[in-house]
Amino acid sequence: MTFSDLGLSPKVLSAVTDAGYTQPTPIQAGAIPHALLGKDILGIAQTGTGKTASFVLPMLTRLEKGRARARMPRTLILEPTRELAAQVEENFIRYGKNHKLNIALLIGGVSFDEQDKKLERGADVLIATPGRLLDHRERGKLLLNGVEILVIDEADRMLDMGFIPDIERICEMIPFTRQTLFFSATMPPEITKLTEKFLHAPVRVEVSKAASTATSIIQRLVKSGSKPWDKRETLRNLMKAEDAELKNAIIFCNRKVEVSELFRSLLKYDFDAGALHGDMDQRARMQMLANFRDGKLRYLVASDVAARGLDIPDVSHVFNYDVPIHAEDYVHRIGRTGRAGRSGKSFTIATKSDTKYIDAIERLIGNKIEWHDGDLSTVVASEGEDEAPRRGRGAPRRAGRKDDDRKEKGERKPRERHAKPSEAAPQEAAHDEQPVAAEATVADIGERRARKEAIRSENTERKASDRNEQRTPERGDSRPQRDSNRPARHRQEDNDATVGFGDDMPAFMRIVAKV
Ligand code: AMP
C-alpha cells in the first residue's frame, strides 16, 4: 500500500513525498481512510509508530474546505505536555507546507499575548495542553463551539498527569457533532470509560499489543551496587563499552534531583551531556532538546515527565539509571529507541532493591529481560551497603519521613546530596580533587561554564515566572486543584526541591585556568 491509496489530497501527498515517506505505517494505513470519512477513531498505538501523521494528514485534507473565524478554532488537538504539543505543530508545518493554514499553539510557560493574537486571527488548527486551553477559555478569549475535529492524543499520559477531569470538561464544551480522534498507547479502565462516553461508534485501530515493546530493541539488565557512586560508575562503564555503537542516548532517572546530580557528574567526567527536567522553563527545554536532536549533545539526562513522548527519531541507546517504579514507564522510556523500525539498545541499571520493580516490568512486557553481565547474585556489596528496601532517592515518598521534613524546611540531607570528596567513592573522590580541570582545556571550561550559567539563569527565570504566575489570577498548566488529583509519582517530581545546577559548584569550575 502507498500513501496515494489512502484518499489524501494532492497537496498533502506532495508534502508527504517531500518528507521522504513512501509507505504508510500500520496506524496510518488503518486510521487515515476512516478519518477522511469523518468517522471517530480509537487508535491504540504508542509513540514511534507514526501516529501523529495518522491524524495530521487527514485533518489537513479535510481543512482544505472552509475558513477559520476569529476566536473560533476549527480543530483542536490536546496534548499532555508542551513538548508534544510543539512536535505536533512541527508536523502540521511540515505536512501543511502547501496549505495556508493558521496554526495556534497554546502551551504554558509562554506569554498569553502572542497566543491571544493568533486566536483573534482565527485558527484552523489549535494545539493545546489542557490547562492553558482552559485558562484562555476562562479569560473569554476562546470559543470552542466551532470545533469540527477534536484530537485527544496520549490519553493514558493525560490520565497519569491528572488531566482527565479537564479533558471531560473540554469534551463537553465542543458540539457533539464533532469528529473525535482518540489515541492512547494503553487502555486502562478509566480511558475505556472516557472513550465510551465521548466517542461515537469509533473505528478501533490497534497496531501493537498494549504495553508491548518494539522487537527491534535489544534490552539488557545491568547489575550494580546500590550506592549512587556505584551506579554512576556502572553507567560510565556501560557508556564507554557502548561507545563505538552509540550515536546518542537518553539517560532516564526517576527524580529530577537525580537528573541534576547525574548531569553534573557526567560533565565532570567529560561526557557531552545535557539535562531535561520539569523545572526548566519551556524555552530552555526546547533549546536543550533541539541541541540533542541536532547532534550538538550526545547524552540527554532526563526525567519521565520531561521526556514523555519526545520524538527524537534516531536515538541509538536508552539507559535507565534507575529502574522505573511504574512498569509502564519502562515501555515508554525504551520506546525512545528502536523507533519506526530502526534498531536500538536499552540498558537498565538494577540494584538488589529493584527486584520487585523488574518483576513487574517483565510481567507487563511478557518477557524476561536478559542480564548483560551476570545477575544480581554476583554483585559485590560496597562498604556500608545494606539490603534494606530502597529508600530515599528513587523510592516513592511516604508521608512524615524525616527526609521529606528536611526538604520542606529547605535543609540538605547531609551525606547523599552533597557528598564531600572524602565521603565519595574512591574514584569519584580522586576525580573531584583535580584531574578534570587538569585535563580540560580553557575552551572546555568556558563552554561548560556557559552551559551551567545558561541553566542557572533559566532556573532563576523559571522561579521568577512561577512567582509571578502565583501573584496574578492567570494560571499556568499546573493548577492547584488539578494537582490535587495528580497521582503521587508526578506530584513527587514537581515537589522535589531542585538542587539546581548552580549552587553546588564542581571542583573544576573553581580552578583558575592559566592562559
Ligand atoms: P510518531 O509516532 O508520530 O511520534 O512518529 C515517529 C517517527 O516516525 C517520526 O519521526 C516520524 O517522522 C516518522 N514517520 C512517520 N510516518 C512515517 C512513515 N510513513 N514512514 C517512515 N517514518 C515515518
Side-chain angles (χ1 to χ4, degrees):
M1 185 183 278
T2 66
F3 275 104
S4 47
D5 301 323
L6 301 178
L8 294 164
S9 73
K11 282 184 189 173
V12 173
L13 284 176
S14 149
V16 169
T17 308
D18 292 350
Y21 300 137
T22 47
Q23 289 225 318
T25 63
I27 183 80
Q28 292 162 359
I32 291 174
H34 299 293
L36 286 170
L37 294 174
K39 296 208 172 126
D40 281 5
I41 305 276
L42 170 55
I44 303 168
Q46 53 196 97
T47 50
T49 55
K51 83 174 152 62
T52 315
S54 78
F55 61 81
V56 171
L57 303 182
M59 284 174 81
L60 284 168
T61 300
R62 297 200 64 206
L63 282 166
E64 285 173 20
K65 287 197 197 103
R67 281 189 64 234
R69 282 184 284 164
R71 292 192 286 134
M72 291 182 71
R74 299 171 65 195
T75 63
L76 170 63
I77 297 117
L78 293 173
E79 293 289 338
T81 66
R82 302 161 182 187
E83 283 76 15
L84 268 172
Q87 278 169 26
V88 170
E89 183 190 34
E90 281 168 23
N91 271 258
F92 270 101
I93 292 169
R94 187 201 299 177
Y95 301 124
K97 63 187 232 181
N98 303 317
H99 299 70
K100 284 203 182 72
L101 296 175
N102 290 334
I103 303 169
L105 182 64
L106 304 188
I107 53 177
V110 286
S111 94
F112 277 86
D113 293 352
E114 279 301 305
Q115 298 178 348
D116 281 345
K117 278 184 206 146
K118 288 202 166 166
L119 289 177
E120 198 57 52
R121 272 214 320 256
D124 296 286
V125 178
L126 179 59
I127 306 157
T129 48
R132 185 51 78 100
L133 182 93
L134 287 171
D135 287 341
H136 274 280
R137 180 138 191 303
E138 280 159 21
R139 287 155 52 103
K141 300 284 180 182
L142 178 64
L143 294 166
L144 292 175
N145 43 344
V147 171
E148 298 154 30
I149 306 175
L150 168 67
V151 178
I152 299 169
D153 194 19
E154 303 262 334
D156 51 352
R157 292 289 124 200
M158 302 267 201
L159 173 70
D160 277 355
M161 296 172 83
F163 284 150
I164 295 303
D166 287 349
I167 300 294
E168 290 187 322
R169 271 181 72 198
I170 294 166
C171 283
E172 278 156 9
M173 289 168 188
I174 302 176
F176 72 93
T177 48
R178 65 170 188 258
Q179 176 184 16
T180 309
L181 311 176
F182 190 103
F183 294 88
S184 191
T186 56
M187 287 299 287
E190 297 92 328
I191 296 296
T192 305
K193 243 165 72 190
L194 198 65
T195 60
E196 284 163 358
K197 191 166 169 197
F198 292 110
L199 296 183
H200 303 286
V203 176
R204 187 182 168 108
V205 186
E206 187 165 353
V207 296
S208 60
K209 227 173 76 211
S212 65
T213 51
T215 49
S216 51
I217 305 169
I218 297 171
Q219 303 169 56
R220 293 289 180 268
L221 290 167
V222 185
K223 65 172 187 233
S224 170
S226 58
K227 297 291 179 197
W229 51 82
D230 292 331
K231 293 178 72 173
R232 291 198 288 261
E233 190 184 7
T234 306
L235 177 68
R236 288 193 301 271
N237 290 341
L238 264 177
M239 289 160 83
K240 284 179 203 151
E242 286 297 308
D243 191 65
E245 280 181 48
L246 191 150
K247 179 173 181 282
N248 54 2
I250 304 183
I251 304 163
F252 283 101
C253 301
N254 284 355
R255 296 168 61 196
K256 63 190 176 193
V257 169
E258 281 153 347
V259 171
S260 303
E261 286 183 351
L262 182 60
F263 164 72
R264 283 201 305 263
S265 167
L266 289 175
L267 278 193
K268 217 159 41 170
Y269 280 84
D270 274 341
F271 287 95
D272 182 17
L276 200 67
H277 63 69
D279 255 8
M280 290 161 71
D281 74 9
Q282 178 63 8
R283 196 166 43 88
R285 287 205 232 179
M286 297 307 280
Q287 187 55 53
M288 191 63 79
L289 203 52
N291 287 347
F292 185 64
R293 202 184 272 140
D294 299 345
K296 291 180 193 153
L297 276 176
R298 197 168 176 213
Y299 304 99
L300 188 65
V301 188
S303 62
D304 291 290
V305 172
R308 189 140 291 145
L310 298 182
D311 176 25
I312 303 160
D314 49 357
V315 174
S316 68
H317 285 64
V318 166
F319 295 104
N320 289 318
Y321 175 76
D322 297 306
V323 177
I325 290 163
H326 296 269
E328 286 199 354
D329 283 338
Y330 178 82
V331 178
H332 288 279
R333 286 182 185 187
I334 75 162
R336 307 299 112 211
T337 186
R339 311 193 85 188
R342 294 185 185 89
S343 62
K345 272 186 162 184
S346 89
F347 291 93
T348 300
I349 296 176
T351 67
K352 285 189 174 164
S353 51
D354 290 322
T355 314
K356 70 172 186 218
Y357 303 111
I358 295 167
D359 291 346
I361 291 167
E362 292 182 335
R363 268 198 310 277
L364 179 75
I365 64 174
N367 273 319
K368 284 267 170 215
I369 309 171
E370 261 182 59
W371 287 92
H372 176 60
D373 188 18
D375 64 21
L376 283 167
S377 63
T378 61
V379 174
V380 181
S382 70
E383 206 188 321
E385 182 172 353
D386 53 36
E387 300 281 328
R390 181 161 59 180
R391 294 189 51 190
R393 290 189 277 178
R397 297 171 87 189
R398 272 178 237 125
R401 272 184 40 204
K402 261 191 184 159
D403 291 357
D404 292 354
D405 295 346
R406 268 201 210 101
K407 245 179 239 159
E408 267 147 34
K409 286 184 198 143
E411 289 171 23
R412 282 176 177 169
K413 199 176 163 200
R415 182 160 146 72
E416 275 198 344
R417 282 251 191 110
H418 298 279
K420 289 181 200 140
S422 60
E423 292 170 330
Q427 307 90 317
E428 292 217 351
H431 209 284
D432 274 346
E433 271 155 29
Q434 55 82 17
V436 174
E439 283 159 23
T441 64
V442 173
D444 286 340
I445 293 170
E447 195 197 313
R448 287 208 198 100
R449 190 173 295 164
R451 203 185 289 166
K452 274 168 181 287
E453 273 304 324
I455 292 165
R456 191 188 333 203
S457 74
E458 270 146 9
N459 274 343
T460 315
E461 260 177 45
R462 163 93 179 174
K463 277 176 194 143
S465 99
D466 285 351
R467 275 197 300 277
N468 287 340
E469 286 199 6
Q470 276 165 19
R471 271 192 225 115
T472 64
E474 297 163 11
R475 286 164 303 183
D477 273 333
S478 37
R479 299 186 289 177
Q481 69 269 40
R482 260 194 298 283
D483 277 350
S484 65
N485 292 328
R486 294 171 67 186
R489 63 171 150 152
H490 294 295
R491 285 202 303 274
Q492 175 183 316
E493 189 192 325
D494 289 350
N495 291 342
D496 282 333
T498 310
V499 171
F501 298 106
D503 303 342
D504 186 26
M505 194 181 281
F508 76 82
M509 297 275 292
R510 292 195 202 100
I511 293 199
V512 180
K514 287 188 184 131
V515 242

